[in-house]
Amino acid sequence: MSDQMLLDGSDASLNKPSGEPTVAVAFGGGGARGFAHIHIIEVLNELGIRPVAISGASIGAIMGSAMAAGMSGKDIRDYTMATLGRRAELVSRVWRLRPSKVGDVLSGGFRLGQFNIERILAAFLPEIIPARFEDLDIPTQIVMTDFYAQTGAVSSSGDLRNAIAASAAIPAVFRPVLRDGRYMIDGGIFNPVPFELLAGKADIVIGIDVVGGPSGDDGDRPSTTDLLFGASQLMMQSIISMKLKSAPPDVFLRPEVSQFRVLDFFKAEEVLEASSGVRDELKHALDAIFAFYR
């Protein structure tokens, strides 16, 4: 598939100030915990750093695409609060997603994973995110999982919104997404933080892990839902651990987000408050690396 070809990074010099190292960012998957990515984008904005390449999985595909489309961290924060922080606006958008016929609700009965992620994203994504990869300001790669091929896939051209939906199609919550004749699910299943896709495309590669892990103690018996998503977290952390041993990025950060569930999308403000410490972590890491380069 043409949209699975990796970017060649030939545009890197366009975004590189004279004498300064270039930066690329991999935004990891983690559902609502990915609101912490807003801090990363805001810090890069404050430091005047424009990535030369971006990769993303699941919520990271959404945040990365928003940045690549030209949104600042403040823009993304404001949009998030306006859509998820205001009950009236949220109800309005959800109401527009309702089935037009009673038969659409009842046909086949209620099933896990029946929600159409493409329709949901159409109602909630900022309009500035274009229809195609080619219209982004920053080269971007989005990872997803090819269900029947039992492997990961990468898209960097063609239908952007379809790729975002495929990458964010969390199993047992959303339907798989058809892309180029293949059924795709959550990109985090195979590649939770796709930093290896950025190797050689920038002087500094940053990876952001918002997968988190099961929270609680031995006195709390996990619910079925907690077990379902917690098991996925453990699997993803195992994948990340192996990747870090093989070829770690220059900067790897884990915001404090484990106390939140993957579907806590109505807790954007709380996630941002709890994960704010990652701002200083990123600044200190970049200060040290930039000092070395200078």
Side-chain angles (χ1 to χ4, degrees), residues 12-38:
S13 61
L14 297 178
N15 298 320
K16 180 178 179 180
S18 177
E20 293 290 351
T22 53
V23 172
V25 187
F27 295 101
R33 296 181 287 263
F35 289 133
H37 288 317
I38 293 174

mmCIF file with all atom_site columns, all heavy atoms in Angstrom, residues 12-38:
data_model
loop_
_atom_site.group_PDB
_atom_site.id
_atom_site.type_symbol
_atom_site.label_atom_id
_atom_site.label_alt_id
_atom_site.label_comp_id
_atom_site.label_asym_id
_atom_site.label_entity_id
_atom_site.label_seq_id
_atom_site.pdbx_PDB_ins_code
_atom_site.Cartn_x
_atom_site.Cartn_y
_atom_site.Cartn_z
_atom_site.occupancy
_atom_site.B_iso_or_equiv
_atom_site.pdbx_formal_charge
_atom_site.auth_seq_id
_atom_site.auth_comp_id
_atom_site.auth_asym_id
_atom_site.auth_atom_id
_atom_site.pdbx_PDB_model_num
ATOM 1   N N   . ALA A 1 12 ? 13.483 17.921 6.334  1.00 0.00 ? 12 ALA A N   1
ATOM 2   C CA  . ALA A 1 12 ? 13.947 18.267 7.680  1.00 0.00 ? 12 ALA A CA  1
ATOM 3   C C   . ALA A 1 12 ? 14.643 19.612 7.723  1.00 0.00 ? 12 ALA A C   1
ATOM 4   O O   . ALA A 1 12 ? 14.464 20.387 8.654  1.00 0.00 ? 12 ALA A O   1
ATOM 5   C CB  . ALA A 1 12 ? 14.889 17.169 8.197  1.00 0.00 ? 12 ALA A CB  1
ATOM 6   N N   . SER A 1 13 ? 15.450 19.925 6.705  1.00 0.00 ? 13 SER A N   1
ATOM 7   C CA  . SER A 1 13 ? 16.234 21.155 6.743  1.00 0.00 ? 13 SER A CA  1
ATOM 8   C C   . SER A 1 13 ? 15.370 22.396 6.690  1.00 0.00 ? 13 SER A C   1
ATOM 9   O O   . SER A 1 13 ? 15.791 23.473 7.098  1.00 0.00 ? 13 SER A O   1
ATOM 10  C CB  . SER A 1 13 ? 17.221 21.176 5.574  1.00 0.00 ? 13 SER A CB  1
ATOM 11  O OG  . SER A 1 13 ? 16.522 21.132 4.340  1.00 0.00 ? 13 SER A OG  1
ATOM 12  N N   . LEU A 1 14 ? 14.122 22.257 6.218  1.00 0.00 ? 14 LEU A N   1
ATOM 13  C CA  . LEU A 1 14 ? 13.247 23.423 6.115  1.00 0.00 ? 14 LEU A CA  1
ATOM 14  C C   . LEU A 1 14 ? 12.871 23.972 7.477  1.00 0.00 ? 14 LEU A C   1
ATOM 15  O O   . LEU A 1 14 ? 12.554 25.140 7.630  1.00 0.00 ? 14 LEU A O   1
ATOM 16  C CB  . LEU A 1 14 ? 11.973 23.046 5.341  1.00 0.00 ? 14 LEU A CB  1
ATOM 17  C CG  . LEU A 1 14 ? 12.170 22.613 3.885  1.00 0.00 ? 14 LEU A CG  1
ATOM 18  C CD1 . LEU A 1 14 ? 10.824 22.230 3.282  1.00 0.00 ? 14 LEU A CD1 1
ATOM 19  C CD2 . LEU A 1 14 ? 12.825 23.717 3.073  1.00 0.00 ? 14 LEU A CD2 1
ATOM 20  N N   . ASN A 1 15 ? 12.857 23.095 8.503  1.00 0.00 ? 15 ASN A N   1
ATOM 21  C CA  . ASN A 1 15 ? 12.405 23.496 9.827  1.00 0.00 ? 15 ASN A CA  1
ATOM 22  C C   . ASN A 1 15 ? 13.555 23.664 10.812 1.00 0.00 ? 15 ASN A C   1
ATOM 23  O O   . ASN A 1 15 ? 13.335 23.866 11.995 1.00 0.00 ? 15 ASN A O   1
ATOM 24  C CB  . ASN A 1 15 ? 11.430 22.453 10.384 1.00 0.00 ? 15 ASN A CB  1
ATOM 25  C CG  . ASN A 1 15 ? 10.194 22.334 9.524  1.00 0.00 ? 15 ASN A CG  1
ATOM 26  O OD1 . ASN A 1 15 ? 9.681  23.342 9.046  1.00 0.00 ? 15 ASN A OD1 1
ATOM 27  N ND2 . ASN A 1 15 ? 9.725  21.121 9.303  1.00 0.00 ? 15 ASN A ND2 1
ATOM 28  N N   . LYS A 1 16 ? 14.786 23.566 10.354 1.00 0.00 ? 16 LYS A N   1
ATOM 29  C CA  . LYS A 1 16 ? 15.932 23.574 11.254 1.00 0.00 ? 16 LYS A CA  1
ATOM 30  C C   . LYS A 1 16 ? 16.606 24.941 11.267 1.00 0.00 ? 16 LYS A C   1
ATOM 31  O O   . LYS A 1 16 ? 17.184 25.369 10.274 1.00 0.00 ? 16 LYS A O   1
ATOM 32  C CB  . LYS A 1 16 ? 16.940 22.514 10.812 1.00 0.00 ? 16 LYS A CB  1
ATOM 33  C CG  . LYS A 1 16 ? 18.178 22.438 11.706 1.00 0.00 ? 16 LYS A CG  1
ATOM 34  C CD  . LYS A 1 16 ? 19.108 21.336 11.244 1.00 0.00 ? 16 LYS A CD  1
ATOM 35  C CE  . LYS A 1 16 ? 20.361 21.267 12.119 1.00 0.00 ? 16 LYS A CE  1
ATOM 36  N NZ  . LYS A 1 16 ? 21.278 20.205 11.686 1.00 0.00 ? 16 LYS A NZ  1
ATOM 37  N N   . PRO A 1 17 ? 16.508 25.673 12.409 1.00 0.00 ? 17 PRO A N   1
ATOM 38  C CA  . PRO A 1 17 ? 17.234 26.935 12.512 1.00 0.00 ? 17 PRO A CA  1
ATOM 39  C C   . PRO A 1 17 ? 18.728 26.672 12.400 1.00 0.00 ? 17 PRO A C   1
ATOM 40  O O   . PRO A 1 17 ? 19.222 25.624 12.780 1.00 0.00 ? 17 PRO A O   1
ATOM 41  C CB  . PRO A 1 17 ? 16.861 27.444 13.918 1.00 0.00 ? 17 PRO A CB  1
ATOM 42  C CG  . PRO A 1 17 ? 15.638 26.683 14.290 1.00 0.00 ? 17 PRO A CG  1
ATOM 43  C CD  . PRO A 1 17 ? 15.769 25.354 13.624 1.00 0.00 ? 17 PRO A CD  1
ATOM 44  N N   . SER A 1 18 ? 19.467 27.635 11.883 1.00 0.00 ? 18 SER A N   1
ATOM 45  C CA  . SER A 1 18 ? 20.900 27.480 11.694 1.00 0.00 ? 18 SER A CA  1
ATOM 46  C C   . SER A 1 18 ? 21.583 27.146 13.012 1.00 0.00 ? 18 SER A C   1
ATOM 47  O O   . SER A 1 18 ? 21.430 27.837 14.006 1.00 0.00 ? 18 SER A O   1
ATOM 48  C CB  . SER A 1 18 ? 21.488 28.785 11.130 1.00 0.00 ? 18 SER A CB  1
ATOM 49  O OG  . SER A 1 18 ? 22.883 28.683 10.993 1.00 0.00 ? 18 SER A OG  1
ATOM 50  N N   . GLY A 1 19 ? 22.344 26.043 13.024 1.00 0.00 ? 19 GLY A N   1
ATOM 51  C CA  . GLY A 1 19 ? 23.111 25.659 14.196 1.00 0.00 ? 19 GLY A CA  1
ATOM 52  C C   . GLY A 1 19 ? 22.337 24.926 15.262 1.00 0.00 ? 19 GLY A C   1
ATOM 53  O O   . GLY A 1 19 ? 22.921 24.473 16.240 1.00 0.00 ? 19 GLY A O   1
ATOM 54  N N   . GLU A 1 20 ? 21.022 24.782 15.113 1.00 0.00 ? 20 GLU A N   1
ATOM 55  C CA  . GLU A 1 20 ? 20.226 24.102 16.131 1.00 0.00 ? 20 GLU A CA  1
ATOM 56  C C   . GLU A 1 20 ? 19.860 22.703 15.662 1.00 0.00 ? 20 GLU A C   1
ATOM 57  O O   . GLU A 1 20 ? 19.577 22.479 14.482 1.00 0.00 ? 20 GLU A O   1
ATOM 58  C CB  . GLU A 1 20 ? 18.941 24.886 16.422 1.00 0.00 ? 20 GLU A CB  1
ATOM 59  C CG  . GLU A 1 20 ? 19.167 26.241 17.088 1.00 0.00 ? 20 GLU A CG  1
ATOM 60  C CD  . GLU A 1 20 ? 19.636 26.120 18.522 1.00 0.00 ? 20 GLU A CD  1
ATOM 61  O OE1 . GLU A 1 20 ? 19.616 24.994 19.061 1.00 0.00 ? 20 GLU A OE1 1
ATOM 62  O OE2 . GLU A 1 20 ? 20.018 27.143 19.107 1.00 0.00 ? 20 GLU A OE2 1
ATOM 63  N N   . PRO A 1 21 ? 19.841 21.724 16.574 1.00 0.00 ? 21 PRO A N   1
ATOM 64  C CA  . PRO A 1 21 ? 19.448 20.369 16.192 1.00 0.00 ? 21 PRO A CA  1
ATOM 65  C C   . PRO A 1 21 ? 17.958 20.283 15.880 1.00 0.00 ? 21 PRO A C   1
ATOM 66  O O   . PRO A 1 21 ? 17.156 21.040 16.421 1.00 0.00 ? 21 PRO A O   1
ATOM 67  C CB  . PRO A 1 21 ? 19.799 19.538 17.435 1.00 0.00 ? 21 PRO A CB  1
ATOM 68  C CG  . PRO A 1 21 ? 19.741 20.509 18.564 1.00 0.00 ? 21 PRO A CG  1
ATOM 69  C CD  . PRO A 1 21 ? 20.217 21.818 18.003 1.00 0.00 ? 21 PRO A CD  1
ATOM 70  N N   . THR A 1 22 ? 17.600 19.382 14.998 1.00 0.00 ? 22 THR A N   1
ATOM 71  C CA  . THR A 1 22 ? 16.200 19.180 14.667 1.00 0.00 ? 22 THR A CA  1
ATOM 72  C C   . THR A 1 22 ? 15.558 18.216 15.665 1.00 0.00 ? 22 THR A C   1
ATOM 73  O O   . THR A 1 22 ? 16.236 17.411 16.312 1.00 0.00 ? 22 THR A O   1
ATOM 74  C CB  . THR A 1 22 ? 16.049 18.617 13.249 1.00 0.00 ? 22 THR A CB  1
ATOM 75  O OG1 . THR A 1 22 ? 16.854 17.440 13.120 1.00 0.00 ? 22 THR A OG1 1
ATOM 76  C CG2 . THR A 1 22 ? 16.490 19.649 12.213 1.00 0.00 ? 22 THR A CG2 1
ATOM 77  N N   . VAL A 1 23 ? 14.231 18.286 15.758 1.00 0.00 ? 23 VAL A N   1
ATOM 78  C CA  . VAL A 1 23 ? 13.489 17.490 16.735 1.00 0.00 ? 23 VAL A CA  1
ATOM 79  C C   . VAL A 1 23 ? 12.329 16.780 16.046 1.00 0.00 ? 23 VAL A C   1
ATOM 80  O O   . VAL A 1 23 ? 11.669 17.346 15.168 1.00 0.00 ? 23 VAL A O   1
ATOM 81  C CB  . VAL A 1 23 ? 12.937 18.389 17.861 1.00 0.00 ? 23 VAL A CB  1
ATOM 82  C CG1 . VAL A 1 23 ? 12.007 17.608 18.787 1.00 0.00 ? 23 VAL A CG1 1
ATOM 83  C CG2 . VAL A 1 23 ? 14.086 19.001 18.667 1.00 0.00 ? 23 VAL A CG2 1
ATOM 84  N N   . ALA A 1 24 ? 12.090 15.537 16.436 1.00 0.00 ? 24 ALA A N   1
ATOM 85  C CA  . ALA A 1 24 ? 10.928 14.780 15.988 1.00 0.00 ? 24 ALA A CA  1
ATOM 86  C C   . ALA A 1 24 ? 10.233 14.211 17.221 1.00 0.00 ? 24 ALA A C   1
ATOM 87  O O   . ALA A 1 24 ? 10.886 13.930 18.235 1.00 0.00 ? 24 ALA A O   1
ATOM 88  C CB  . ALA A 1 24 ? 11.328 13.665 15.035 1.00 0.00 ? 24 ALA A CB  1
ATOM 89  N N   . VAL A 1 25 ? 8.921  14.045 17.160 1.00 0.00 ? 25 VAL A N   1
ATOM 90  C CA  . VAL A 1 25 ? 8.166  13.627 18.338 1.00 0.00 ? 25 VAL A CA  1
ATOM 91  C C   . VAL A 1 25 ? 7.254  12.446 18.020 1.00 0.00 ? 25 VAL A C   1
ATOM 92  O O   . VAL A 1 25 ? 6.536  12.450 17.012 1.00 0.00 ? 25 VAL A O   1
ATOM 93  C CB  . VAL A 1 25 ? 7.295  14.780 18.890 1.00 0.00 ? 25 VAL A CB  1
ATOM 94  C CG1 . VAL A 1 25 ? 6.662  14.368 20.220 1.00 0.00 ? 25 VAL A CG1 1
ATOM 95  C CG2 . VAL A 1 25 ? 8.114  16.040 19.064 1.00 0.00 ? 25 VAL A CG2 1
ATOM 96  N N   . ALA A 1 26 ? 7.278  11.444 18.905 1.00 0.00 ? 26 ALA A N   1
ATOM 97  C CA  . ALA A 1 26 ? 6.376  10.295 18.822 1.00 0.00 ? 26 ALA A CA  1
ATOM 98  C C   . ALA A 1 26 ? 5.366  10.399 19.964 1.00 0.00 ? 26 ALA A C   1
ATOM 99  O O   . ALA A 1 26 ? 5.732  10.305 21.135 1.00 0.00 ? 26 ALA A O   1
ATOM 100 C CB  . ALA A 1 26 ? 7.153  8.983  18.924 1.00 0.00 ? 26 ALA A CB  1
ATOM 101 N N   . PHE A 1 27 ? 4.109  10.596 19.607 1.00 0.00 ? 27 PHE A N   1
ATOM 102 C CA  . PHE A 1 27 ? 3.035  10.715 20.587 1.00 0.00 ? 27 PHE A CA  1
ATOM 103 C C   . PHE A 1 27 ? 2.380  9.345  20.771 1.00 0.00 ? 27 PHE A C   1
ATOM 104 O O   . PHE A 1 27 ? 1.802  8.791  19.841 1.00 0.00 ? 27 PHE A O   1
ATOM 105 C CB  . PHE A 1 27 ? 1.984  11.725 20.120 1.00 0.00 ? 27 PHE A CB  1
ATOM 106 C CG  . PHE A 1 27 ? 2.485  13.145 20.029 1.00 0.00 ? 27 PHE A CG  1
ATOM 107 C CD1 . PHE A 1 27 ? 2.838  13.690 18.805 1.00 0.00 ? 27 PHE A CD1 1
ATOM 108 C CD2 . PHE A 1 27 ? 2.595  13.930 21.166 1.00 0.00 ? 27 PHE A CD2 1
ATOM 109 C CE1 . PHE A 1 27 ? 3.294  15.001 18.712 1.00 0.00 ? 27 PHE A CE1 1
ATOM 110 C CE2 . PHE A 1 27 ? 3.054  15.239 21.096 1.00 0.00 ? 27 PHE A CE2 1
ATOM 111 C CZ  . PHE A 1 27 ? 3.402  15.781 19.867 1.00 0.00 ? 27 PHE A CZ  1
ATOM 112 N N   . GLY A 1 28 ? 2.463  8.806  21.989 1.00 0.00 ? 28 GLY A N   1
ATOM 113 C CA  . GLY A 1 28 ? 1.953  7.469  22.251 1.00 0.00 ? 28 GLY A CA  1
ATOM 114 C C   . GLY A 1 28 ? 0.463  7.402  22.468 1.00 0.00 ? 28 GLY A C   1
ATOM 115 O O   . GLY A 1 28 ? -0.220 8.415  22.650 1.00 0.00 ? 28 GLY A O   1
ATOM 116 N N   . GLY A 1 29 ? -0.057 6.161  22.444 1.00 0.00 ? 29 GLY A N   1
ATOM 117 C CA  . GLY A 1 29 ? -1.476 5.927  22.669 1.00 0.00 ? 29 GLY A CA  1
ATOM 118 C C   . GLY A 1 29 ? -1.778 5.695  24.137 1.00 0.00 ? 29 GLY A C   1
ATOM 119 O O   . GLY A 1 29 ? -0.919 5.296  24.912 1.00 0.00 ? 29 GLY A O   1
ATOM 120 N N   . GLY A 1 30 ? -3.028 5.937  24.514 1.00 0.00 ? 30 GLY A N   1
ATOM 121 C CA  . GLY A 1 30 ? -3.427 5.751  25.908 1.00 0.00 ? 30 GLY A CA  1
ATOM 122 C C   . GLY A 1 30 ? -4.800 6.287  26.222 1.00 0.00 ? 30 GLY A C   1
ATOM 123 O O   . GLY A 1 30 ? -5.132 6.509  27.383 1.00 0.00 ? 30 GLY A O   1
ATOM 124 N N   . GLY A 1 31 ? -5.617 6.502  25.187 1.00 0.00 ? 31 GLY A N   1
ATOM 125 C CA  . GLY A 1 31 ? -6.962 7.022  25.433 1.00 0.00 ? 31 GLY A CA  1
ATOM 126 C C   . GLY A 1 31 ? -6.919 8.403  26.067 1.00 0.00 ? 31 GLY A C   1
ATOM 127 O O   . GLY A 1 31 ? -6.090 9.241  25.708 1.00 0.00 ? 31 GLY A O   1
ATOM 128 N N   . ALA A 1 32 ? -7.795 8.629  27.036 1.00 0.00 ? 32 ALA A N   1
ATOM 129 C CA  . ALA A 1 32 ? -7.905 9.946  27.670 1.00 0.00 ? 32 ALA A CA  1
ATOM 130 C C   . ALA A 1 32 ? -6.614 10.380 28.357 1.00 0.00 ? 32 ALA A C   1
ATOM 131 O O   . ALA A 1 32 ? -6.386 11.578 28.556 1.00 0.00 ? 32 ALA A O   1
ATOM 132 C CB  . ALA A 1 32 ? -9.042 9.937  28.679 1.00 0.00 ? 32 ALA A CB  1
ATOM 133 N N   . ARG A 1 33 ? -5.763 9.429  28.694 1.00 0.00 ? 33 ARG A N   1
ATOM 134 C CA  . ARG A 1 33 ? -4.489 9.788  29.313 1.00 0.00 ? 33 ARG A CA  1
ATOM 135 C C   . ARG A 1 33 ? -3.617 10.604 28.365 1.00 0.00 ? 33 ARG A C   1
ATOM 136 O O   . ARG A 1 33 ? -2.699 11.311 28.783 1.00 0.00 ? 33 ARG A O   1
ATOM 137 C CB  . ARG A 1 33 ? -3.760 8.517  29.759 1.00 0.00 ? 33 ARG A CB  1
ATOM 138 C CG  . ARG A 1 33 ? -4.500 7.737  30.853 1.00 0.00 ? 33 ARG A CG  1
ATOM 139 C CD  . ARG A 1 33 ? -3.728 6.510  31.277 1.00 0.00 ? 33 ARG A CD  1
ATOM 140 N NE  . ARG A 1 33 ? -3.773 5.461  30.279 1.00 0.00 ? 33 ARG A NE  1
ATOM 141 C CZ  . ARG A 1 33 ? -4.609 4.428  30.298 1.00 0.00 ? 33 ARG A CZ  1
ATOM 142 N NH1 . ARG A 1 33 ? -5.488 4.314  31.281 1.00 0.00 ? 33 ARG A NH1 1
ATOM 143 N NH2 . ARG A 1 33 ? -4.581 3.498  29.353 1.00 0.00 ? 33 ARG A NH2 1
ATOM 144 N N   . GLY A 1 34 ? -3.952 10.535 27.074 1.00 0.00 ? 34 GLY A N   1
ATOM 145 C CA  . GLY A 1 34 ? -3.203 11.274 26.072 1.00 0.00 ? 34 GLY A CA  1
ATOM 146 C C   . GLY A 1 34 ? -3.412 12.770 26.091 1.00 0.00 ? 34 GLY A C   1
ATOM 147 O O   . GLY A 1 34 ? -2.728 13.498 25.358 1.00 0.00 ? 34 GLY A O   1
ATOM 148 N N   . PHE A 1 35 ? -4.326 13.255 26.920 1.00 0.00 ? 35 PHE A N   1
ATOM 149 C CA  . PHE A 1 35 ? -4.435 14.713 27.070 1.00 0.00 ? 35 PHE A CA  1
ATOM 150 C C   . PHE A 1 35 ? -3.118 15.301 27.569 1.00 0.00 ? 35 PHE A C   1
ATOM 151 O O   . PHE A 1 35 ? -2.834 16.471 27.363 1.00 0.00 ? 35 PHE A O   1
ATOM 152 C CB  . PHE A 1 35 ? -5.568 15.073 28.045 1.00 0.00 ? 35 PHE A CB  1
ATOM 153 C CG  . PHE A 1 35 ? -6.944 14.818 27.497 1.00 0.00 ? 35 PHE A CG  1
ATOM 154 C CD1 . PHE A 1 35 ? -7.892 14.155 28.261 1.00 0.00 ? 35 PHE A CD1 1
ATOM 155 C CD2 . PHE A 1 35 ? -7.291 15.235 26.225 1.00 0.00 ? 35 PHE A CD2 1
ATOM 156 C CE1 . PHE A 1 35 ? -9.166 13.912 27.772 1.00 0.00 ? 35 PHE A CE1 1
ATOM 157 C CE2 . PHE A 1 35 ? -8.561 15.002 25.718 1.00 0.00 ? 35 PHE A CE2 1
ATOM 158 C CZ  . PHE A 1 35 ? -9.502 14.333 26.499 1.00 0.00 ? 35 PHE A CZ  1
ATOM 159 N N   . ALA A 1 36 ? -2.301 14.467 28.221 1.00 0.00 ? 36 ALA A N   1
ATOM 160 C CA  . ALA A 1 36 ? -0.989 14.919 28.703 1.00 0.00 ? 36 ALA A CA  1
ATOM 161 C C   . ALA A 1 36 ? -0.099 15.368 27.553 1.00 0.00 ? 36 ALA A C   1
ATOM 162 O O   . ALA A 1 36 ? 0.850  16.140 27.761 1.00 0.00 ? 36 ALA A O   1
ATOM 163 C CB  . ALA A 1 36 ? -0.313 13.801 29.495 1.00 0.00 ? 36 ALA A CB  1
ATOM 164 N N   . HIS A 1 37 ? -0.370 14.916 26.339 1.00 0.00 ? 37 HIS A N   1
ATOM 165 C CA  . HIS A 1 37 ? 0.419  15.341 25.183 1.00 0.00 ? 37 HIS A CA  1
ATOM 166 C C   . HIS A 1 37 ? 0.343  16.850 24.967 1.00 0.00 ? 37 HIS A C   1
ATOM 167 O O   . HIS A 1 37 ? 1.241  17.436 24.360 1.00 0.00 ? 37 HIS A O   1
ATOM 168 C CB  . HIS A 1 37 ? -0.068 14.637 23.912 1.00 0.00 ? 37 HIS A CB  1
ATOM 169 C CG  . HIS A 1 37 ? 0.271  13.179 23.849 1.00 0.00 ? 37 HIS A CG  1
ATOM 170 N ND1 . HIS A 1 37 ? 1.507  12.673 24.204 1.00 0.00 ? 37 HIS A ND1 1
ATOM 171 C CD2 . HIS A 1 37 ? -0.473 12.101 23.452 1.00 0.00 ? 37 HIS A CD2 1
ATOM 172 C CE1 . HIS A 1 37 ? 1.513  11.369 24.024 1.00 0.00 ? 37 HIS A CE1 1
ATOM 173 N NE2 . HIS A 1 37 ? 0.330  10.992 23.571 1.00 0.00 ? 37 HIS A NE2 1
ATOM 174 N N   . ILE A 1 38 ? -0.723 17.453 25.435 1.00 0.00 ? 38 ILE A N   1
ATOM 175 C CA  . ILE A 1 38 ? -0.880 18.900 25.266 1.00 0.00 ? 38 ILE A CA  1
ATOM 176 C C   . ILE A 1 38 ? 0.279  19.632 25.927 1.00 0.00 ? 38 ILE A C   1
ATOM 177 O O   . ILE A 1 38 ? 0.781  20.635 25.402 1.00 0.00 ? 38 ILE A O   1
ATOM 178 C CB  . ILE A 1 38 ? -2.232 19.365 25.839 1.00 0.00 ? 38 ILE A CB  1
ATOM 179 C CG1 . ILE A 1 38 ? -3.378 18.780 25.001 1.00 0.00 ? 38 ILE A CG1 1
ATOM 180 C CG2 . ILE A 1 38 ? -2.322 20.896 25.868 1.00 0.00 ? 38 ILE A CG2 1
ATOM 181 C CD1 . ILE A 1 38 ? -4.761 19.060 25.550 1.00 0.00 ? 38 ILE A CD1 1
#
